[in-house]
Amino acid sequence: MKKRTFTASLLAAVAAVAFSAPALAQNYKSEYRMSLVLGTAFPWGKGGEIWANKVRERTNGRINIKLYPGVSLLQGDQTREFSALRQGVIDMAVGSTINWSPQVKQLNLFSLPFLFPDYAAVDAVTQGEVGKRIFQTLEKSGVVPLAWGENGYREISNSKRPIRTPDDLKGLKIRVVGSPLFLDTFTALGANPTQMSWADAQPAFASGAVDGQENPISVYQAAKLHTVNQKYITMWGYINDPLIFVVNKDVWNSWTPEDREIVRQAAIEAGQEEIAIARKGMVEADKPLLKELEANGVTVTQLTEQERAAFVKATRSVYDKWKKQIGADLVEAAEKAIAARKK
């Protein structure tokens, strides 16, 4: 009788082990799909790669993540990424606040023209109370945000001339992403904003069908835009484009609490590393990235405070209009955080 009881206890113990946390991985997907706009040649894609590698190593392969750059799961349509993430078409993403702003109006905060004068201003917002409020909004929208990354300050380039004043933008056909706020900003500056995907944009620059674009310098360099007629760059820092590391809510809930914590911590670390990569060459006193541009025959224009102020004035009506749409209280909280920042 004792032997039989011992055997039963042993079998129960084995069964308990069989259904412990690692064994639950049997219910995990063999592969989780991470959507990215840019590949690993860019800081953005590198951040996704770092996150995926950390998660794979720390979960011993229980959570295996495959990268899908170029928004390839959505035929390159980056404006559909957030909806697809909510619906479970994609499992994870490192997404742009710009691309997701049509679905989450509060994310337009980061596209308000000339709100962020420096990197310290960006950090004061994303790493403070405003950043937490935005994450809460995203959670209510059906996703799980874990960490901030950064695509960077978006500078303007074109094939025609140096841009020092709003008048220099008049009549230029500028490629922009599919955001109404971008259309308003460039229309206010007298340009002709043209929405198109990044895949379509580069051939348009080469052929001269489109005059210019706005993107972080790291993107400009990795895409070698100096080879497609983008010979003039103005460092105007009109907006910064933070990235957000996110998981679909159902996928998140399917993981054990231990694995969720691993994924969260890996995202935070990957975000910090990605931000450092995105800012490299721009935060140093001599800004070596600008020297690389000039070495490629690019004319780099750096605005004085007075010149930048003219652009601020020209876009103020857009700022005021969108402040109301985003939520004046959120924008004012960001303004206060920026005013109180440590430079």
Side-chain angles (χ1 to χ4, degrees):
M1 190 71 180
K2 283 183 181 179
K3 185 177 180 182
R4 202 173 289 170
T5 303
F6 173 76
T7 304
S9 300
L10 184 62
L11 288 172
V14 170
V17 170
F19 288 100
S20 64
L24 287 175
Q26 291 172 359
N27 299 322
Y28 284 23
K29 296 183 182 182
S30 59
E31 174 188 294
Y32 292 91
R33 297 172 295 180
M34 181 191 296
S35 180
L36 299 158
V37 169
L38 297 175
T40 54
F42 301 82
W44 187 337
K46 198 71 185 166
E49 182 180 58
I50 293 168
W51 186 22
N53 288 343
K54 286 179 184 290
V55 169
R56 189 180 300 109
E57 289 165 12
R58 295 175 188 180
T59 62
N60 297 316
R62 285 192 302 280
I63 300 177
N64 180 46
I65 301 165
K66 183 175 179 181
L67 309 185
Y68 287 85
V71 208
S72 55
L73 294 168
L74 304 168
Q75 293 76 50
D77 187 352
Q78 55 212 59
T79 61
R80 288 175 49 215
E81 188 177 57
F82 187 76
S83 298
L85 183 63
R86 291 175 63 187
Q87 294 160 1
V89 175
I90 55 181
D91 302 311
M92 313 167 74
V94 179
S96 161
T97 53
I98 296 169
N99 291 337
W100 295 356
S101 62
Q103 287 83 34
V104 185
K105 68 177 183 179
Q106 291 85 349
L107 294 179
N108 283 295
L109 171 73
F110 299 100
S111 297
L112 282 173
F114 303 100
L115 172 61
F116 298 97
D118 50 39
Y119 287 115
V122 179
D123 293 340
V125 172
T126 58
Q127 307 304 318
E129 286 306 311
V130 174
K132 289 177 185 174
R133 283 174 63 179
I134 288 171
F135 272 19
Q136 288 167 359
T137 299
L138 287 169
E139 285 169 7
K140 289 174 186 172
S141 300
V143 300
V144 182
L146 302 176
W148 291 97
E150 183 171 283
N151 194 22
Y153 272 101
R154 299 179 78 93
E155 315 296 1
I156 189 160
S157 72
N158 80 101
S159 60
K160 301 290 188 185
R161 53 183 174 265
I163 295 170
R164 280 198 174 275
T165 70
D167 280 347
D168 293 329
L169 266 163
K170 283 190 166 44
L172 290 183
K173 195 170 185 179
I174 305 293
R175 177 265 175 183
V176 296
V177 294
S179 162
L181 177 44
F182 278 63
L183 296 176
D184 284 355
T185 298
F186 281 90
T187 300
L189 291 167
N192 177 13
T194 304
Q195 291 183 25
M196 61 172 58
S197 72
W198 187 238
D200 293 335
Q202 293 175 78
F205 303 144
S207 69
V210 173
D211 300 315
Q213 60 87 51
E214 44 74 60
N215 254 309
I217 296 300
S218 60
V219 173
Y220 178 100
Q221 282 290 75
K224 297 182 171 57
L225 293 186
H226 67 280
T227 64
V228 285
N229 297 324
Q230 298 299 291
K231 297 293 188 182
Y232 301 95
I233 284 184
T234 294
M235 307 299 295
W236 65 343
Y238 86 117
I239 66 165
N240 188 287
D241 179 19
L243 304 175
I244 307 177
F245 290 64
V246 174
V247 178
N248 166 274
K249 187 169 278 188
D250 290 337
V251 168
W252 179 259
N253 290 334
S254 74
W255 293 334
T256 65
E258 294 79 10
D259 280 346
R260 284 180 217 158
E261 191 50 40
I262 288 171
V263 174
R264 184 190 300 279
Q265 190 56 43
I268 291 168
E269 292 173 19
Q272 291 168 343
E273 292 177 37
E274 191 276 336
I275 289 170
I277 295 168
R279 295 180 182 180
K280 188 178 180 184
M282 295 300 297
V283 291
E284 299 84 353
D286 59 344
K287 295 186 177 177
L289 209 49
L290 299 189
K291 292 179 180 176
E292 287 182 29
L293 293 173
E294 291 171 338
N296 287 330
V298 178
T299 300
V300 179
T301 300
Q302 299 193 64
L303 301 180
T304 65
E305 281 300 313
Q306 292 82 357
E307 287 171 334
R308 189 175 184 273
F311 286 96
V312 174
K313 184 179 178 182
T315 55
R316 192 65 206 187
S317 62
V318 176
Y319 187 106
D320 292 340
K321 169 190 170 182
W322 279 88
K323 179 176 180 176
K324 294 172 190 169
Q325 295 191 26
I326 294 163
D329 60 331
L330 185 68
V331 176
E332 285 163 11
E335 291 168 345
K336 285 177 185 173
I338 290 167
R341 76 193 183 282
K342 292 181 181 178
K343 298 181 187 179

